[in-house]
Short mmCIF file of all heavy atoms in Angstrom, two decimals:
data_model
loop_
_atom_site.label_atom_id
_atom_site.label_comp_id
_atom_site.label_asym_id
_atom_site.label_seq_id
_atom_site.Cartn_x
_atom_site.Cartn_y
_atom_site.Cartn_z
N MET A 1539 8.32 20.66 5.16
CA MET A 1539 7.64 19.33 5.30
C MET A 1539 6.33 19.52 5.82
O MET A 1539 5.54 18.41 5.94
CB MET A 1539 8.52 18.37 6.16
CG MET A 1539 8.41 16.89 5.82
SD MET A 1539 9.47 15.87 6.71
CE MET A 1539 8.91 14.24 6.15
N ALA A 1540 5.74 20.59 6.18
CA ALA A 1540 4.49 20.81 6.82
C ALA A 1540 3.40 20.43 5.89
O ALA A 1540 2.41 19.82 6.36
CB ALA A 1540 4.28 22.26 7.34
N SER A 1541 3.51 20.54 4.54
CA SER A 1541 2.51 20.25 3.63
C SER A 1541 2.22 18.73 3.71
O SER A 1541 1.10 18.28 3.87
CB SER A 1541 2.92 20.74 2.21
OG SER A 1541 1.98 20.18 1.29
N LEU A 1542 3.24 17.92 3.56
CA LEU A 1542 3.04 16.39 3.61
C LEU A 1542 2.71 15.97 4.92
O LEU A 1542 1.68 15.21 5.16
CB LEU A 1542 4.47 15.91 3.26
CG LEU A 1542 4.71 14.27 3.31
CD1 LEU A 1542 3.70 13.64 2.28
CD2 LEU A 1542 6.02 13.88 3.03
N ASN A 1543 3.37 16.54 6.05
CA ASN A 1543 2.97 16.06 7.43
C ASN A 1543 1.53 16.45 7.87
O ASN A 1543 0.86 15.63 8.45
CB ASN A 1543 3.90 16.83 8.48
CG ASN A 1543 5.29 16.27 8.26
OD1 ASN A 1543 5.63 15.18 7.65
ND2 ASN A 1543 6.22 16.89 8.86
N SER A 1544 1.08 17.66 7.41
CA SER A 1544 -0.36 18.08 7.83
C SER A 1544 -1.35 17.16 7.10
O SER A 1544 -2.40 16.86 7.61
CB SER A 1544 -0.55 19.55 7.58
OG SER A 1544 -0.31 19.85 6.25
N HIS A 1545 -0.96 16.77 5.80
CA HIS A 1545 -1.99 15.90 5.06
C HIS A 1545 -2.06 14.67 5.61
O HIS A 1545 -3.16 14.11 5.95
CB HIS A 1545 -1.32 15.82 3.64
CG HIS A 1545 -2.18 14.94 2.72
ND1 HIS A 1545 -3.06 15.51 1.70
CD2 HIS A 1545 -2.34 13.60 2.61
CE1 HIS A 1545 -3.55 14.49 1.15
NE2 HIS A 1545 -3.15 13.32 1.59
N GLU A 1546 -0.90 14.00 6.07
CA GLU A 1546 -0.94 12.57 6.57
C GLU A 1546 -1.55 12.62 7.96
O GLU A 1546 -2.39 11.67 8.27
CB GLU A 1546 0.46 12.05 6.64
CG GLU A 1546 1.18 11.81 5.19
CD GLU A 1546 0.26 11.28 4.13
OE1 GLU A 1546 -0.60 10.40 4.41
OE2 GLU A 1546 0.50 11.57 2.97
N LEU A 1547 -1.31 13.74 8.77
CA LEU A 1547 -1.87 13.67 10.11
C LEU A 1547 -3.38 13.93 9.96
O LEU A 1547 -4.16 13.22 10.84
CB LEU A 1547 -1.29 14.83 10.88
CG LEU A 1547 -1.90 14.94 12.38
CD1 LEU A 1547 -1.77 13.67 13.12
CD2 LEU A 1547 -1.16 16.10 13.00
N GLY A 1548 -3.88 14.73 8.97
CA GLY A 1548 -5.28 14.97 8.71
C GLY A 1548 -5.97 13.56 8.55
O GLY A 1548 -7.14 13.38 8.89
N HIS A 1549 -5.35 12.68 7.92
CA HIS A 1549 -5.78 11.31 7.59
C HIS A 1549 -6.17 10.58 8.99
O HIS A 1549 -7.06 9.76 8.86
CB HIS A 1549 -4.81 10.48 6.76
CG HIS A 1549 -5.00 10.64 5.39
ND1 HIS A 1549 -6.24 10.35 4.69
CD2 HIS A 1549 -4.06 10.83 4.41
CE1 HIS A 1549 -5.98 10.43 3.41
NE2 HIS A 1549 -4.75 10.82 3.13
N GLN A 1550 -5.54 10.83 10.06
CA GLN A 1550 -5.73 10.01 11.20
C GLN A 1550 -7.18 10.26 11.64
O GLN A 1550 -7.63 9.43 12.40
CB GLN A 1550 -4.74 10.57 12.26
CG GLN A 1550 -3.27 10.20 11.86
CD GLN A 1550 -2.93 8.78 11.71
OE1 GLN A 1550 -3.34 7.84 12.42
NE2 GLN A 1550 -2.11 8.53 10.78
N TRP A 1551 -7.86 11.34 11.22
CA TRP A 1551 -9.16 11.50 11.36
C TRP A 1551 -10.06 11.03 10.20
O TRP A 1551 -10.92 10.22 10.37
CB TRP A 1551 -9.57 13.05 11.73
CG TRP A 1551 -9.29 13.58 12.94
CD1 TRP A 1551 -10.15 13.76 14.06
CD2 TRP A 1551 -8.04 14.05 13.39
NE1 TRP A 1551 -9.53 14.31 15.11
CE2 TRP A 1551 -8.24 14.50 14.77
CE3 TRP A 1551 -6.81 14.16 12.96
CZ2 TRP A 1551 -7.17 15.05 15.56
CZ3 TRP A 1551 -5.68 14.76 13.66
CH2 TRP A 1551 -5.97 15.13 14.92
N PHE A 1552 -9.66 11.56 9.05
CA PHE A 1552 -10.42 11.21 7.76
C PHE A 1552 -9.60 10.19 6.91
O PHE A 1552 -8.62 10.57 6.30
CB PHE A 1552 -10.66 12.47 6.90
CG PHE A 1552 -11.43 13.70 7.66
CD1 PHE A 1552 -10.74 14.54 8.43
CD2 PHE A 1552 -12.74 13.50 7.69
CE1 PHE A 1552 -11.55 15.56 9.07
CE2 PHE A 1552 -13.49 14.53 8.33
CZ PHE A 1552 -12.89 15.43 9.10
N GLY A 1553 -10.03 8.97 7.10
CA GLY A 1553 -9.33 7.90 6.38
C GLY A 1553 -8.99 6.75 7.39
O GLY A 1553 -8.98 5.67 6.98
N ASP A 1554 -8.72 7.25 8.69
CA ASP A 1554 -8.33 6.20 9.77
C ASP A 1554 -9.31 6.12 10.69
O ASP A 1554 -9.85 4.81 10.93
CB ASP A 1554 -6.97 6.64 10.36
CG ASP A 1554 -5.74 6.55 9.41
OD1 ASP A 1554 -6.03 6.44 8.13
OD2 ASP A 1554 -4.70 6.61 9.88
N LEU A 1555 -9.87 7.17 11.36
CA LEU A 1555 -10.86 7.07 12.35
C LEU A 1555 -12.20 6.66 11.61
O LEU A 1555 -13.03 5.85 12.02
CB LEU A 1555 -10.95 8.27 13.12
CG LEU A 1555 -12.07 8.41 14.29
CD1 LEU A 1555 -11.79 7.40 15.20
CD2 LEU A 1555 -12.11 9.75 14.83
N VAL A 1556 -12.45 7.37 10.54
CA VAL A 1556 -13.51 6.91 9.59
C VAL A 1556 -12.86 6.64 8.20
O VAL A 1556 -11.91 7.42 7.84
CB VAL A 1556 -14.69 7.95 9.32
CG1 VAL A 1556 -15.47 8.10 10.79
CG2 VAL A 1556 -14.04 9.30 8.88
#
Side-chain angles (χ1 to χ4, degrees):
M1539 209 174 173
S1541 173
L1542 178 62
N1543 291 344
S1544 58
H1545 179 101
E1546 301 309 334
L1547 179 57
H1549 268 306
Q1550 299 295 322
W1551 283 263
F1552 298 98
D1554 292 13
L1555 184 57
V1556 294

